[in-house]
Amino acid sequence: MGKPRHYLAAISAYIIWGMFSLVLRPIKDHAPIDILYYRIVCCLALAFFVLILFRKESVRDSRDQFRALPPGQRVRLVGWNLLAGVLLTANWFLFIYVMNYVSVKATSLAYLVCPILTALLAFLLLKEPMKKVQWVALAMGVTGCIILAFGHLYDLVLAVLVGFSYALYLILQRKNKGYDRLLVLFVHILISVVGMTPYYFATAASAPVDTSFYLFVLAIAVFFTLVPMLLNLFALSGIRSGTVGMLMNINPIIAFSLSVFYFGEKADAMQYLGYGIIFGSVVVFNWKIESRKVEKSEKTRRPSV
């Protein structure tokens, strides 16, 4: 059972990500690969800076933990993290592309699909048990996504790709339990930078020249990448993957609201219905968990007779 700070960390991360469009849309005229490449380079530099200055002891502990593993386990762990780095890169690129070339609503749909995929993957791959009420919540989520995707097949395909890449990335983080969370993220970003650098310089026409581009990328790297990623990884250390995945619905609800009320994208009654059903699925999924926490807390406070 996760502690309140784990839930607060997950909720905070998804509130921040829900507002991502506010800093990504202003640089939509730049190619997605430009935004992605400079984002990961900034993130890598910042993560390295923090690790060197503030996390040396934790990094040493993680190194010793890795060295203590049998050779076969070390190889598997390296393989899992290589895959995680690839998934993170794919997710970030697809997200930028969908946000700037399709719509903000499409990205919100992506992260409505993601919690459903995360919960299912946690059940299938990690054997995390599911209560009947949670299956009902997942069915509600699927129904809501079908309603939202009605007449928007292209958006649904992109949403599934974005959602699946991040859902699987979340699941893989369970393999890194006990390691420094920032170090894990640094390794994944390093994999991304190493893999992307040759391709970027072979295909990019020229580096962006406007200062505002780099200021927005820096803001994305710090406030919309490192901070929420660390919050999310911390949440996963104390909450089941399926629960974190369902809390992810906070992100698309905020993103959808911004798309309609801030960016002026049109939404019809069916879309409002779909979002309402999915929001209800979040409440249903977490209701029993929260009820048990309250009941347990009351029992511990109740004086013995």
Side-chain angles (χ1 to χ4, degrees):
M1 180 65 65
K3 297 179 180 179
R5 65 175 184 267
H6 293 105
Y7 284 90
L8 180 61
I11 292 168
S12 300
Y14 295 128
I15 289 174
I16 293 170
W17 272 322
M19 298 186 291
F20 201 171
S21 57
L22 296 176
V23 292
L24 192 53
R25 267 303 182 92
I27 52 177
K28 65 179 296 184
D29 292 335
H30 293 272
I33 193 168
D34 284 337
I35 300 172
L36 175 61
Y37 184 73
Y38 288 101
R39 175 189 184 184
I40 61 176
V41 168
C42 285
C43 288
L44 186 70
L46 290 168
F48 180 77
F49 178 78
V50 174
L51 286 170
I52 291 297
L53 290 184
F54 305 110
R55 309 292 284 268
K56 287 183 180 179
E57 184 176 349
S58 183
V59 170
R60 282 195 294 268
D61 291 342
S62 295
R63 179 196 62 192
D64 294 341
Q65 180 179 339
F66 178 75
R67 288 178 174 176
L69 292 175
Q73 290 187 27
R74 285 204 300 266
V75 171
R76 284 194 295 272
L77 186 61
V78 169
W80 288 126
N81 280 283
L82 284 172
L83 177 58
V86 172
L87 287 169
L88 187 64
T89 305
N91 176 261
W92 285 1
F93 177 81
L94 288 168
F95 182 86
I96 293 168
Y97 175 83
V98 174
M99 174 77 75
N100 285 348
Y101 286 86
V102 182
S103 68
V104 178
K105 282 192 302 181
T107 59
S108 67
L109 177 58
Y111 285 107
L112 282 168
V113 176
C114 188
I116 298 169
L117 294 172
T118 303
L120 287 175
L121 287 173
F123 172 76
L124 295 172
L125 301 179
L126 302 180
K127 309 303 180 184
E128 290 188 355
M130 294 281 289
K131 304 294 184 182
K132 288 182 179 179
V133 68
Q134 293 171 325
W135 284 110
V136 171
L138 287 178
M140 289 173 61
V142 170
T143 302
C145 287
I146 292 172
I147 292 172
L148 285 172
F150 191 77
H152 302 278
L153 181 60
Y154 180 64
D155 287 8
L156 177 61
V157 171
L158 290 175
V160 170
L161 288 174
V162 175
F164 180 81
S165 60
Y166 193 66
L168 190 53
Y169 177 78
L170 285 178
I171 295 299
L172 288 178
Q173 298 323 296
R174 302 297 267 184
K175 303 288 185 180
N176 294 312
K177 193 170 184 179
Y179 294 95
D180 182 273
R181 291 180 292 274
L182 182 57
L183 177 61
V184 170
L185 181 58
F186 173 81
V187 170
H188 296 163
I189 298 173
L190 178 62
I191 292 168
S192 180
V193 171
V194 170
M196 276 198 63
T197 296
Y199 175 79
Y200 179 76
F201 284 102
T203 59
S206 60
V209 294
D210 52 315
T211 304
S212 62
F213 170 81
Y214 294 101
L215 292 176
F216 276 113
V217 167
L218 184 61
I220 290 170
V222 177
F223 301 110
F224 291 87
T225 302
L226 286 182
V227 170
M229 287 291 291
L230 288 174
L231 288 170
N232 197 52
L233 291 175
F234 173 74
L236 282 167
S237 69
I239 307 176
R240 297 184 342 179
S241 299
T243 303
V244 173
M246 291 304 292
L247 288 173
M248 192 185 299
N249 280 297
I250 295 169
N251 171 348
I253 289 169
I254 294 174
F256 179 78
S257 300
L258 286 173
S259 72
V260 174
F261 299 110
Y262 185 79
F263 293 105
E265 296 180 0
K266 301 297 182 181
D268 55 32
M270 292 293 285
Q271 289 177 312
Y272 283 115
L273 176 61
Y275 274 82
I277 292 174
I278 294 171
F279 180 77
S281 75
V282 181
V283 176
V284 171
F285 189 91
N286 292 285
W287 180 261
K288 200 159 190 177
I289 295 174
E290 294 302 319
S291 298
R292 287 183 176 180
K293 286 176 65 179
V294 171
E295 183 180 347
K296 183 177 180 181
S297 178
E298 288 178 348
K299 285 181 179 180
T300 58
R301 289 199 302 265
R302 190 178 302 157
S304 57
V305 177

